[in-house]
Amino acid sequence: MDSRSLVMHQAMLADRTRLRAYDDALAKVVRPGDVVVDVGAGLLVLGMMALRHGAGHVYAIEGDPVTAAVAARIADDNGLSGKLTVIRGDARAVDLPEQANVIVAELMGNIGPEEEMPEILAAVAKRVLAPGGRVVPERLTTTLTAIEFDDEGWGIWSGDSLGYRLDVVQEHAEPTAHLHFFQRLPTKLSAAVPIGDSLLGVTPHGVSTSPRKLRITRPGTLHAVMGSFTATLAPGITLSNFPSYPGSNWGVWIWPLQHTRVDVGDVLRAQVHLPEGVRVATDWRLDCGIARRELS
Ligand SMILES: C[S@@+](CC[C@H](N)C(=O)[O-])C[C@H]1O[C@@H](n2cnc3c(N)ncnc32)[C@H](O)[C@@H]1O
C-alpha cells in the first residue's frame, strides 16, 4: 500500500462523524441474515459494521489490488473469513454467488459524484440487488451556493485586508475550482441550488451542465461559488461536507470570483462545464453572470 493511499484510508477512518453516520444508517437498514455488498470496501470498516448489525454474509469488493490484499489480511486477523468474502475487482463487473439485500458504499467525492458513485452503484444494483433491496446511501445531491468569506480564503484579497490593497489579485481568478477546508464558516448569500440529484442504485445522474439561478437572499460581497454534497444514508440520516465538521476528510470546491457587491433580489447565473472524461472538479469550469434585481 503506498503512503498516499495509506494516509487516505487513515483520514477516512479518523473521520468519526462519517463512521457514526454509516453505523447509524446500517443499524436502521440491515436486517438479520441479510447478504450485504460493500462496494469499494477499502479496509472493510463498512462491511464489519454491517456484520455487527446482523448481516449473514458480506461480499467486500475492492478494485485496488494492494488494498484488497490488506483487506483480506484484516478479515483473517479478525476471524471473519466465514462471514466476509473479499473480492478483488471492479465492482461494476463482479458476479456474486447470490443476490444481495443491501449495497453499502462510500464513494462520495468532494462535490459528490466525481468518484462515479451514481454510475457504479446503478451498475452493481442491476447485477446483484434482489427485488426490494436497499442501498446505503440512498441519495446523493450536489449543490452550488453563493458565498462571502471573511479574511479566510478568497476573502483575504479585499481592498483593505491586512492594511494594504491586494485586490489586484482578484483579476487573476480562474474559472476553475480549488479544494477548500474551512476553519470558519463563510456567509451564505444564496440558498444551495441543486445541480445533481441521484437516487443511488437507480439513476446514474451526474452533475447537470445547464445554467442555474442563484438568487441572492442576503446583501453582501460575493466572493465565490461553493460546490458541496449531501448524501442521505438512510431516512433521517444525512452526511454533508458543508457545514464542515471537525475531523472531516472532505473539503468543498470553491470557484473564486471578482469580489462584487450584491443585494437581495440579484440573481447569479452559474453554469458548470465538465470537460469530456474529466472526473476531478479541479478542471470543471464555472461560467457566471449577474442580473440585478431580476423579478421572479
Ligand atoms: C472512499 S474509499 C472508501 C473505503 C471504505 N469503504 C471506507 O468507507 O472506509 C473508496 C474505495 O473504493 C475503491 N473503489 C473505487 N472504485 C471502485 C470500483 N469501481 N470497484 C471496486 N472498488 C472501487 C477504492 O480503491 C477505495 O479503496
Side-chain angles (χ1 to χ4, degrees), residues 9 12 18 40-42 45-46 62-63 89-92 106-107 120:
H9 284 286
M12 289 188 296
R18 178 187 90 103
V45 60
L46 303 183
E62 173 51 51
D90 187 325
R92 287 169 282 208
E106 196 280 79
L107 295 165
I120 293 170

Side-chain angles (χ1 to χ4, degrees), residues 166-227:
L166 303 172
D167 47 319
V168 64
V169 175
Q170 294 173 27
E171 292 170 23
H172 297 271
E174 293 191 350
T176 50
H178 63 257
L179 198 56
H180 187 82
F181 291 84
F182 289 109
Q183 303 299 318
R184 298 182 294 272
L185 286 185
T187 304
K188 288 169 76 170
L189 300 179
S190 76
V193 173
I195 55 166
D197 189 12
S198 285
L199 276 182
L200 296 172
V202 185
T203 48
H205 289 155
V207 163
S208 164
T209 54
S210 29
R212 290 290 190 273
K213 289 183 173 184
L214 280 57
R215 287 183 189 284
I216 300 299
T217 51
R218 179 185 178 132
T221 303
L222 174 66
H223 286 165
V225 171
M226 174 183 74

